[in-house]
């Protein structure tokens, strides 16, 4: 906790005064460009990898960067998506998975989930991706299968987003873009889902 409190002190003494105008502007409202849905993993820092500032990204994080299909779970993720689209009018939603994702590893090797019943229930929302990989990519080695699952989970969550009435309506009007990314922790590289080819291509 000490490191965190020291950081807070540095923020208040150094970083905040340097960006005083920005914070004064943000004090009365926000107008973020995008909803960034990513994993809770500590190694993913959305503002760092996109070099954005406070106020730029509306962020939703959870284990496995999951967006449950509408109606399956009335929870924080669905409410966050609806608020971002309807109240804030974000123009884009980015679903960002990442390399070495613990949630995706648990889908491939569910043993440890026996002691984490809540995580196990949550990961049901990624079952579609797990099944696609099991049925189509069983021949791949462990590392390649994990990489494929990470990608297919992003694809599955993009599809889930489309079941939300708010998202479907804005997509129909052409007022919303959906983007699927996978961030590689070791290199900083990002691949984006290309709907035409069905592949993830370097950005
Ligand atoms: Zn993760």
């Amino acid at each position: 906790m000490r490191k965190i409190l020291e950081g807070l002190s540095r923020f208040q003494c150094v970083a905040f005064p340097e960006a005083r105008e920005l914070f004064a502007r943000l004090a009365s409202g926000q107008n973020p460009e995008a909803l960034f849905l990513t994993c809770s993993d500590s190694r993913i820092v959305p503002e760092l990898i996109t070099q954005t500032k406070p106020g730029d990204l509306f962020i939703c994080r959870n284990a496995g960067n999951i967006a449950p299909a509408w109606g399956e779970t009335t929870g924080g993720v669905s409410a966050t998506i609806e608020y971002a689209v309807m109240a804030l009018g974000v123009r884009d939603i980015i679903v960002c998975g990442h390399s070495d994702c613990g949630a995706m590893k648990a889908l491939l090797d569910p043993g440890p989930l026996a002691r984490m019943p809540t995580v196990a229930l949550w990961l049901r929302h990624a079952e579609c991706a797990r099944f696609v990989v099991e049925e189509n990519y069983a021949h791949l080695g462990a590392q390649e299968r994990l990489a494929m699952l990470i990608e297919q989970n992003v694809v599955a969550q993009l599809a889930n987003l489309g079941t939300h009435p708010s998202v479907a309506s804005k997509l129909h009007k052409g007022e919303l873009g959906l983007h699927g990314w996978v961030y590689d922790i070791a290199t900083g590289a990002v691949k984006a889902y290309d709907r035409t080819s069905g592949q993830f291509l370097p950005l």
Side-chain angles (χ1 to χ4, degrees):
M1 201 58 199
R2 184 180 191 157
K3 185 174 172 181
I4 293 171
L5 291 174
E6 285 173 0
L8 175 62
S9 178
R10 273 201 309 283
F11 167 71
Q12 291 173 337
C13 297
V14 182
F16 186 90
E18 284 174 358
R20 193 176 292 281
E21 282 179 19
L22 171 64
F23 289 113
R25 201 164 63 241
L26 292 174
S28 56
Q30 62 169 331
N31 184 26
E33 277 189 34
L35 167 62
F36 199 92
L37 174 65
T38 193
C39 188
S40 300
D41 193 297
S42 61
R43 298 165 294 179
I44 315 302
V45 184
E47 292 89 346
L48 183 66
I49 67 177
T50 61
Q51 292 290 288
T52 47
K53 291 190 167 68
D56 289 340
L57 298 177
F58 197 66
I59 297 175
C60 182
R61 308 187 69 151
N62 61 64
N65 40 270
I66 283 167
W70 191 79
E72 275 187 29
T73 306
T74 305
V77 177
S78 300
T80 301
I81 292 164
E82 195 170 276
Y83 187 81
V85 172
M86 300 307 292
L88 299 176
V90 297
R91 302 291 307 205
D92 294 281
I93 301 178
I94 298 154
V95 177
C96 184
H98 68 96
S99 60
D100 198 50
C101 182
M104 295 302 109
K105 285 180 179 175
L107 275 179
L108 290 178
D109 177 16
L113 291 179
R115 295 176 61 242
M116 293 180 273
T118 314
V119 178
L121 279 173
W122 177 244
L123 291 179
R124 283 181 314 145
H125 300 296
E127 173 60 18
C128 177
R130 191 200 65 77
F131 197 76
V132 166
V133 171
E134 182 183 292
E135 289 288 306
N136 297 278
Y137 300 100
H139 60 282
L140 295 179
Q143 284 304 108
E144 289 77 15
R145 204 154 8 115
L146 176 61
M148 182 56 74
L149 178 59
I150 289 163
E151 291 185 356
Q152 289 303 315
N153 179 52
V154 169
V155 174
Q157 304 314 325
L158 288 173
N160 281 350
L161 279 172
T163 67
H164 289 248
S166 56
V167 173
S169 175
K170 295 282 184 180
L171 285 173
H172 184 76
K173 282 191 269 194
E175 293 179 356
L176 186 67
L178 298 186
H179 313 272
W181 288 8
V182 172
Y183 168 67
D184 187 80
I185 293 168
T187 64
V190 171
K191 285 184 181 174
Y193 181 56
D194 175 59
R195 276 184 182 73
T196 310
S197 65
Q199 306 284 313
F200 279 74
L201 306 173
L203 267 188

